[in-house]
Amino acid sequence: MQRKLMLPLGLSLALALLGPLLLPDYQVTLVNYIGLYSIVALGLVLLTGIGGLTSFGQAAFVGIGAYSTAVLTTALGLSPWLGLLVGLGLTGLIALVLGMLTLRLSGHYLPLGTLAWGLSIFYLFGNLPHLGGYGGINNIPTVSLLGWELSDARDFNVLIWLVIAAVIWLISNLLDSREGRAIRALKYGTVMTEAMGVHSGRSKLVIFVVAALLAALSGWLYAHMQRFVNPTPFSINMGIEYLFMIVLGGAASLLGAIFGATLLTVLKQWLQDLLPQLFGQGGNFEMIFFGILIVLCMQYARAGLWPLISARLPKRAGGTPAPPDLDTPPLPRREALPEHAVLLRADGVVKRFGGLVANNNMNLQVNSGEITALIGPNGAGKSTLFNLLSGVLPPSAGEIHFRDQRIDQLSSRRINALGVSRTFQHVRLVPDMTVLENVSLGAHRRGHAGLLRTCLHLERGEEGALLAEAARQIERVGLGEHLLDEAGNLPLGKQRIVEIARALCADPYLLLLDEPAAGLRHLEKQALGALLRRLREEGMGVLLVEHDMDFVMDLADHVVVMEFGEKLASGLPHAIQENPAVMAAYLGGAE
Amino acid sequence: MDWYVFTFLTQDGLTTGAIYALIALALVLVFAVTRVILVGQGDFVTLSALTLATLQAGKTPATVWLLLGGASLVCVKMLAAAAREGRLAQAPRILLMQMTLPCVLALVCWLVEPATLPGALKVLLSIVIIAPLGPVLYRLVYQPVAQASVLQLLIISVAIHIAVIGISLWIFGAEGFRTLPFTSGNLDLGEVSISLQSVLVIGIALALIVALYLFFGHTLYGKALRATAFNQRGAQLVGVPTDLAGSHAFLLAAIIGAVSGILIGPITTLYYDSGFLITLKGFVAAIIGGMASYPLAAAGAFLVGLLESFASFWVSAYKEVIVFTLVLPVLLWLSLTTHHVEEEQH
Amino acid sequence: MSGDKLLEVQGLYACYGKVDALLDISLRMRRGEIVSVIGPNGAGKTTLLSALIGLVSSEGDVRYAGQALTRYHNVAERVSRGISLVPESRELFAPMTVEDNLLLGAFSRHRQGHRDQHSTLAEVYALFPRLKERRTQAAGTLSGGERQMLAMGRALMARPTLLMLDEPSLGLAPKIIGEIFQIIRDLRSTGVSVLLVEQNARAALKSSDYGYVLENGEVALEGPAAELADNPSVIDTYLGRKKKNTAPVEELTAIG
């Protein structure tokens, strides 16, 4: 088990087992509420702090969980467990539809959509027939679990905090996996993840649905603990408060969720007693306080308060995880190709942006076991061509083939699956993941474990193989000593090399490198050159865009020069160096 | 439904639609210039209406103290910044620029018996008290985090809205207010009877929209604001100070909100927290315009107004649900038609 | 050429993101001069201009027209003091008309009134007749060369003392590059000083009085433009040819 899990798991288990024995009635109830809020907040941490999406509608999902079981158990007299299933099913379905409608749009449509949705559902709870209007539904039955009747707050204390312990375990399992790395990469943009073969839209949908299901679970617990529901606790204001909890606590950590839920609940209780004494009755003074607190928090401590506290806690030794076991059997590889076979061919490729023609009638061929360099002055259209070849942009005309398959209309994810792997000119690593985790993102497509197996950590065999593969590629590019460092802490030159290791993890036939030598020192450049020569010997095709001419001319088998979006010249390196047209392109012709 | 009901509902829908159109325009404007989704836009509406109602009741509105307090905080921040950068010589200028209007307004409210003011002056006073709250809000809350992501700015917007309705409840109490109608006459055109009040509201809203159009299309300053929305870097390079552009966008939004409050005050009973629903309906309209198109947003606003008006006749309990459910098909349509290219920076 | 100094840069250090883009740059220019900064990609040329206009923060001693540049805190203040930048990416207001783009260029002079604006506009139209023909067209519909002209015209609307051009020839066809450089030379007669950043070294040096070669964030070479143009080591920095018999830096500066 990971060490960072010990504190939250220990805390929730302790509350589950000792809370009912030690705490007075009032505190037990308070701890129960904190627990119910924490379950929702944990889902929001996954969604917002880790995934970079936001929802104001979590209270509505809590409401669906609560009302589903309330109606089924009272009006229809069915089992609470069926109520749980129906609540989760209904919530999942709604979240799926809402997510599919908004997740393809820019990031602010989901929260706006959830605001509108959260308001609507509140009015529905109050007005739909059979839901008891604003008065609510009474006499919801108790739950019994294997003969244990949960009849009072102390019983629920045990159940709620056991549930939290389970949720923490499941979510951390999820985050510490192939699927989890894809989720943690989401908020840094999807161009990179898609190019690594990750279905980012699916990852977004997964966390939105999981967060909604956790909210519904909290609602189910609430309904059977209170044995009464009415619309008030599911209003949009409560949806906003859930978000406040994690902003305050720390949106990116599981413990931050529990801390935020505790802080907000306790502070609210205390302020509701204190403030009216200062300002008189008839106000929601604590909401003024929280509103301003959140603004200050966003201005001065954007990561929330928990990170500030945990930085002061004593660090326990041995916190770093062990490196992967390199004896793990390697992942299956693609079948080898003959040398000098045509890998990539672009014919008459055109790309227009409005009135500008960025690429015009561009032709290019890359063979296996060869290094092809693409050079040209700034603005010649090299980056555009790179984006066309890797599927980030579709060409306006022309055809691109990879090993006899036409790829110009395929997504970057599909092109990656065929064996094309790339790096980015502006480094796109996940700064708060280790080098090992970043590189293993490249092997995403080579793993297959589903969500359920992942959450239960039943995919450890596959996970070990993926990490071992990543470690081998890191070793290969010479960054073995940085295996467990956070990628964001490396100098930029080394980050570029990490990108190469990540690309290699996909076991590609063709490597597309965008300015790999920029920012490298002399010795590092030599090492990179040596690595690329080795890859060439192993039969890999390499296409690189590079401005360091010493580097290019020493290394490339074939050089293609672009100017004004067109091919100006191509040939052997020294022929290019002496080509008058190329010289003019770089230095400017005589006017 | 008979002809009479139909014309009444249409009138009603167009009148509220005109106000939603103003709100939607302000939302699109602020979003374009500052990337802030201004959840508090509707709060300007309620604050201005409730301020007017207080003045009409012959009492001093506490919003003027809110303005004075806010402006003082801005002043303190600016003075602190000036001191840090060794520009203390500018202190008198900062004080003069930031505090003159709030102090004058406070003095007026303190010295003059509100009941003695003529009706038009009360309206003017309400607008002049609420409008500067826009720039105050921008400088205190948003300017320090101008580089934050849209999502973080949205969370801030929601937080400040929550604080503002808390303050609003504190100073105005929980009961609803309605301001005095501008006029009570009816215009009878054969079978159709049109209330002059509606005509006035729609007329003023349209006039304001035209004024905004002229401002953005034909004045250097309006063009500079628009240019900032299109290309912030470009605007910076021609010498438009970007924080000033942000604060002026907020000023415009607050003016639009304050005028909307005056217009809607006599039609609808407003509570301290009514602003939220008003903003959200403006959002529905703005989303119809893809958060970018002014004419589509205005058209969407009239659609929202009409839908709400007819829904309240047929299924009154579900009128909000119906209006907000309109978002779903719109989102579906947007999601099928836009090819969203993600922002480079995060 | 008058002798008085317009810009003096001593030990300028600026970083952009995590890369140290400029290390200890020193540079001088006099009023009415055209000075070129050339060098391969990634040498820090753009960062130099961004630091001078105030888009990126920098350390070091920069004096502009005798005053410390740090007196002017932000881009807007520097623009109103007569420094203008035409960035490599042009940064036009694409949906707005050519004329609106130009008028916005005079934003920093809006207190001077309409008449001033329109006389400046007439001067810019005289310099770029093509823009006058296109004045009601949206900037986004212009060709590459016209966009560059509009970007330059917009910067000139502020009546700058120091005009900084970042890669004005970028992505333009040779014939248009010729036109643009002719206009740059014409500007000298109107008293505008030009700091020119270019990859197109030959065209730049041909139009300049003095030149600096930047490599890896440092000044590798400097000297009168005509001499730099003939210096073989300049060519080597671009095409990655092995260094051979280059004139030492000291020698060149001595000439300058």
Side-chain angles (χ1 to χ4, degrees):
Chain A
M1 187 196 303
Q2 303 151 280
R3 289 195 80 95
K4 62 180 180 187
L5 259 182
M6 306 244 294
L7 186 57
L9 269 188
L11 190 79
S12 34
L13 286 176
L15 271 172
L17 301 176
L18 302 177
L21 300 176
L22 302 177
L23 297 174
D25 280 345
Y26 174 74
Q27 264 73 8
V28 168
T29 311
L30 194 65
V31 167
N32 282 350
Y33 272 104
I34 290 174
L36 291 175
Y37 297 154
S38 296
I39 297 175
V40 184
L42 283 167
L44 262 185
V45 160
L46 183 66
L47 183 68
T48 303
I50 293 163
L53 304 167
T54 305
S55 161
F56 293 100
Q58 295 311 98
F61 291 124
V62 179
I64 294 183
Y67 267 98
S68 301
T69 195
V71 170
L72 287 183
T73 52
T74 56
L76 305 175
L78 297 170
S79 149
W81 297 106
L82 196 66
L84 177 62
L85 277 183
V86 170
L88 290 177
L90 202 56
T91 304
L93 196 69
I94 293 173
L96 212 57
V97 170
L98 214 55
M100 288 200 288
L101 281 180
T102 53
L103 287 172
R104 278 194 65 232
L105 301 170
S106 340
H108 48 276
Y109 282 103
L110 179 68
L112 287 181
T114 55
L115 264 183
W117 133 259
L119 265 170
S120 302
I121 198 85
F122 174 71
Y123 289 112
L124 283 179
F125 286 145
N127 290 302
L128 276 184
H130 314 300
L131 296 189
Y134 289 95
I137 300 175
N138 276 315
N139 297 326
I140 299 172
T142 55
V143 182
S144 55
L145 178 62
L146 306 171
W148 169 38
E149 172 106 4
L150 288 97
S151 52
D152 71 1
R154 284 173 199 277
D155 298 328
F156 267 94
N157 189 300
V158 177
L159 179 62
I160 288 172
W161 285 92
L162 283 178
V163 166
I164 291 179
V167 167
I168 289 176
W169 185 67
L170 293 172
I171 293 187
S172 359
N173 282 351
L174 174 61
L175 291 179
D176 176 32
S177 73
R178 161 180 161 275
E179 195 73 52
R181 289 185 289 272
I183 291 170
R184 285 152 70 194
L186 277 180
K187 64 177 166 188
Y188 299 97
T190 54
V191 170
M192 180 275 283
T193 46
E194 287 280 321
M196 293 305 128
V198 178
H199 193 330
S200 300
R202 188 179 157 274
S203 296
K204 287 182 180 177
L205 208 53
V206 162
I207 54 175
F208 186 57
V209 170
V210 167
L213 292 178
L214 287 175
L217 175 62
S218 167
W220 179 81
L221 286 165
Y222 170 85
H224 290 287
M225 183 180 90
Q226 286 294 82
R227 307 183 59 189
F228 162 75
V229 291
N230 72 344
T232 316
F234 314 124
S235 71
I236 195 72
N237 282 351
M238 196 57 216
I240 291 170
E241 272 184 46
Y242 284 125
L243 195 65
F244 282 3
M245 288 175 196
I246 64 152
V247 171
L248 212 53
S253 76
L254 300 181
L255 209 51
I258 298 178
F259 177 69
T262 312
L263 191 66
L264 198 108
T265 313
V266 173
L267 258 181
K268 195 173 168 185
Q269 288 286 328
W270 180 65
L271 290 170
Q272 275 173 341
D273 291 339
L274 175 77
L275 293 177
Q277 292 170 19
L278 299 176
F279 299 103
Q281 297 295 326
N284 262 338
F285 301 107
E286 76 280 359
M287 291 324 285
I288 306 178
F289 177 85
F290 283 124
I292 294 172
L293 187 63
I294 294 293
V295 172
L296 291 176
C297 192
M298 295 299 280
Q299 287 183 349
Y300 296 104
R302 213 172 281 172
L305 300 179
W306 179 250
L308 300 181
I309 294 170
S310 69
R312 280 158 207 274
L313 292 180
K315 287 260 183 301
R316 279 161 305 166
T320 46
D325 176 10
L326 289 179
D327 297 333
T328 319
L331 293 167
R333 298 198 53 181
R334 296 174 203 269
E335 56 176 303
L337 290 183
E339 239 176 81
H340 309 297
V342 180
L343 281 178
L344 184 79
R345 212 180 62 242
D347 297 302
V349 168
V350 178
K351 181 64 187 178
R352 291 184 210 92
F353 294 105
L356 287 182
V357 182
N359 277 185
N360 193 18
N361 196 25
M362 193 53 208
N363 301 308
L364 184 83
Q365 180 174 321
V366 186
N367 297 340
S368 61
E370 290 178 15
I371 296 177
T372 305
L374 184 60
I375 66 170
N378 242 341
K382 304 181 296 290
S383 295
T384 305
L385 182 62
F386 232 65
N387 283 336
L388 298 179
L389 296 179
S390 60
V392 172
L393 294 170
S396 313
E399 292 187 9
I400 303 171
H401 286 85
F402 181 73
R403 298 183 66 212
D404 299 328
Q405 184 174 355
R406 196 167 162 183
I407 61 167
D408 46 77
Q409 299 304 324
L410 297 187
S411 67
S412 55
R413 177 156 39 94
R414 300 275 301 281
I415 292 176
N416 171 276
L418 295 175
V420 181
S421 207
R422 70 169 292 183
T423 67
F424 294 90
Q425 185 190 347
H426 302 287
V427 173
R428 288 172 184 264
L429 294 175
V430 182
D432 53 8
M433 289 198 324
T434 63
V435 169
L436 179 67
E437 289 175 311
N438 266 292
V439 170
S440 59
L441 260 180
H444 188 85
R445 197 190 39 78
R446 300 170 82 182
H448 307 281
L451 193 62
L452 200 63
R453 274 167 56 79
T454 303
C455 284
L456 296 170
H457 264 193
L458 298 175
E459 37 55 291
R460 289 293 95 180
E462 177 188 290
E463 173 76 0
L466 288 176
L467 290 181
E469 172 72 13
R472 275 190 286 266
Q473 298 300 345
I474 294 168
E475 205 60 56
R476 188 179 191 187
V477 301
L479 289 178
E481 53 175 333
H482 295 296
L483 195 67
L484 299 173
D485 291 347
E486 277 191 7
N489 292 341
L490 296 189
L492 202 66
K494 287 190 173 167
Q495 294 193 16
R496 289 188 184 283
I497 304 298
V498 174
E499 287 223 329
I500 296 178
R502 185 179 65 194
L504 288 175
C505 248
D507 184 26
Y509 289 129
L510 173 65
L511 206 51
L512 303 177
L513 304 178
D514 203 346
E515 299 196 22
L520 293 193
R521 292 167 211 286
H522 187 63
L523 286 176
E524 293 171 331
K525 278 183 190 170
Q526 286 186 336
L528 174 62
L531 170 71
L532 294 182
R533 285 192 185 91
R534 244 179 299 134
L535 291 173
R536 167 168 63 189
E537 278 159 29
E538 291 169 22
M540 195 173 296
V542 178
L543 175 67
L544 78 159
V545 168
E546 185 48 66
H547 286 294
D548 184 328
M549 291 300 163
D550 283 328
F551 184 76
V552 166
M553 297 302 175
D554 267 4
L555 189 66
D557 300 297
H558 192 79
V559 178
V560 178
V561 189
M562 280 183 85
E563 199 191 15
F564 306 130
E566 297 184 17
K567 178 146 84 175
L568 178 72
S570 68
L572 296 175
H574 41 265
I576 292 291
Q577 271 176 314
E578 302 305 327
N579 184 324
V582 174
M583 227 179 271
Y586 267 85
L587 298 171
E591 286 167 33
Chain B
M1 179 191 303
D2 61 16
W3 178 241
Y4 172 77
V5 175
F6 178 79
T7 53
F8 174 80
L9 291 177
T10 308
Q11 242 184 79
D12 189 45
L14 290 178
T15 314
T16 42
I19 290 164
Y20 295 152
L22 286 176
I23 303 299
L25 295 186
L27 290 171
V28 175
L29 165 69
V30 169
F31 183 68
V33 177
T34 64
R35 298 180 306 124
V36 169
I37 294 177
L38 188 54
V39 180
Q41 177 62 31
D43 297 326
F44 292 127
V45 178
T46 45
L47 283 178
S48 116
L50 298 187
T51 300
L52 181 60
T54 314
L55 284 169
Q56 287 175 346
K59 288 183 279 190
T60 302
T63 35
V64 76
W65 312 127
L66 185 63
L67 173 62
L68 196 62
S72 310
L73 281 178
V74 172
C75 233
V76 169
K77 282 192 88 147
M78 290 178 81
L79 289 175
R84 263 202 313 277
E85 292 166 18
R87 295 183 285 124
L88 264 182
Q90 294 181 3
R93 191 167 160 268
I94 293 175
L95 277 172
L96 202 68
M97 293 281 288
Q98 300 302 316
M99 295 310 292
T100 312
L101 181 67
C103 287
V104 169
L105 288 175
L107 270 179
V108 168
C109 288
W110 189 43
L111 295 176
V112 180
E113 188 64 43
T116 63
L117 286 171
L121 259 186
K122 286 179 194 156
V123 168
L124 190 67
L125 190 59
S126 309
I127 296 176
V128 177
I129 291 174
I130 300 306
L133 284 174
V136 164
L137 184 67
Y138 178 74
R139 287 188 188 282
L140 281 183
V141 174
Y142 294 101
Q143 193 177 316
V145 287
Q147 301 308 315
S149 70
V150 172
L151 235 50
Q152 289 164 332
L153 290 171
L154 175 59
I155 292 174
I156 291 176
S157 283
V158 168
I160 204 68
H161 158 74
I162 293 286
V164 168
I165 56 171
I167 293 171
S168 192
L169 173 64
W170 183 20
I171 60 186
F172 293 114
E175 79 255 49
F177 291 89
R178 208 178 254 248
T179 53
L180 303 174
F182 305 125
T183 162
S184 56
N186 273 317
L187 202 62
D188 287 313
L189 299 171
E191 303 226 333
V192 187
S193 166
I194 301 172
S195 95
L196 280 177
Q197 176 76 23
S198 296
V199 174
L200 203 63
V201 169
I202 296 175
I204 293 176
L206 289 181
L208 194 54
I209 291 174
V210 170
L212 285 173
Y213 171 76
L214 292 177
F215 172 72
F216 284 116
H218 295 275
T219 67
L220 185 65
Y221 209 85
K223 285 174 188 171
L225 267 184
R226 220 151 43 96
T228 310
F230 293 139
N231 186 336
Q232 190 142 8
R233 174 61 57 92
Q236 221 178 343
L237 287 174
V238 298
V240 180
T242 34
D243 54 337
L244 213 62
S247 125
H248 286 166
F250 269 71
L251 175 64
L252 275 177
I255 292 175
I256 295 171
V259 173
S260 311
I262 304 299
L263 295 180
I264 203 173
I267 310 173
T268 317
T269 306
L270 290 175
Y271 300 85
Y272 69 98
D273 61 351
S274 302
F276 192 52
L277 282 181
I278 297 177
T279 313
L280 276 177
K281 284 167 195 163
F283 270 135
V284 175
I287 290 175
I288 291 175
M291 291 301 287
S293 158
Y294 294 92
L296 271 181
F302 284 104
L303 178 65
V304 170
L306 287 171
L307 193 66
E308 185 182 23
S309 162
F310 282 87
S312 64
F313 177 75
W314 278 310
V315 274
S316 148
Y318 296 106
K319 83 172 186 188
E320 314 290 4
V321 179
I322 288 173
V323 169
F324 293 127
T325 313
L326 180 63
V327 172
L328 294 183
V330 173
L331 286 177
L332 178 65
W333 178 71
L334 279 178
S335 135
L336 292 178
T337 52
T338 31
H339 296 281
H340 164 60
V341 180
E342 79 179 38
E343 301 165 60
E344 278 284 307
Q345 77 282 359
H346 255 283
Chain C
M1 189 185 316
S2 76
D4 83 304
K5 294 195 175 93
L6 179 65
L7 187 69
E8 284 173 280
V9 178
Q10 261 317 318
L12 184 71
Y13 170 91
C15 58
Y16 185 68
K18 282 198 171 177
V19 216
D20 295 347
L22 292 184
L23 311 158
D24 194 17
I25 296 274
S26 294
L27 174 153
R28 292 171 303 284
M29 78 186 275
R30 286 178 283 210
R31 272 182 206 276
E33 260 187 341
I34 300 179
V35 171
S36 285
V37 176
I38 58 175
N41 243 323
K45 304 184 299 284
T46 298
T47 311
L48 171 66
L49 298 192
S50 305
L52 291 177
I53 194 80
L55 283 173
V56 302
S57 57
S58 58
E59 283 167 32
D61 183 29
V62 182
R63 300 187 78 75
Y64 166 73
Q67 300 280 354
L69 195 64
T70 45
R71 282 172 58 116
Y72 314 126
H73 289 91
N74 53 36
V75 180
E77 278 184 45
R78 291 184 191 186
V79 172
S80 66
R81 295 289 162 167
I83 306 179
S84 279
L85 169 67
V86 178
E88 185 186 318
S89 44
R90 321 303 197 228
E91 307 290 357
L92 300 174
F93 308 120
M96 302 174 92
T97 64
V98 167
E99 186 148 312
D100 276 351
N101 269 273
L102 289 173
L103 287 173
L104 280 166
F107 184 84
S108 58
R109 297 171 59 80
H110 63 277
R111 291 210 177 80
Q112 315 286 328
H114 273 281
R115 186 168 301 168
D116 171 84
Q117 254 176 47
H118 283 93
S119 69
T120 318
L121 189 62
E123 285 171 38
V124 169
Y125 278 150
L127 210 51
F128 302 98
R130 193 97 55 92
L131 293 183
K132 191 170 186 183
E133 291 165 27
R134 304 249 186 266
R135 67 175 184 271
T136 56
Q137 232 173 289
T141 63
L142 299 182
S143 73
E146 290 164 344
R147 283 178 199 214
Q148 178 55 27
M149 290 180 191
L150 179 55
M152 282 174 68
R154 190 179 68 179
L156 287 171
M157 288 294 293
R159 293 190 169 278
T161 314
L162 171 60
L163 178 65
M164 304 195 289
L165 302 173
D166 194 354
E167 306 265 1
S169 75
L170 183 72
L172 301 186
K175 184 172 163 292
I176 308 203
I177 296 178
E179 273 177 55
I180 297 272
F181 276 98
Q182 185 55 49
I183 291 166
I184 292 173
R185 288 193 294 270
D186 291 348
L187 281 178
R188 190 192 340 226
S189 62
T190 66
V192 179
S193 312
V194 180
L195 182 59
L196 185 64
V197 153
E198 262 291 0
Q199 276 230 104
N200 194 331
R202 279 187 193 151
L205 290 174
K206 196 177 161 197
S207 302
S208 309
D209 300 305
Y210 200 81
Y212 292 84
V213 183
L214 247 58
E215 210 178 351
N216 297 325
E218 293 171 12
V219 176
L221 288 169
E222 64 173 287
E227 288 169 29
L228 273 187
D230 294 332
N231 189 325
S233 58
V234 173
I235 300 172
D236 292 336
T237 57
Y238 279 82
L239 281 187
R241 294 202 287 217
K242 298 287 176 259
K243 313 262 186 294
K244 51 192 176 198
N245 314 329
T246 51
V249 178
E250 293 76 17
E251 213 172 294
L252 270 165
T253 44
I255 304 166

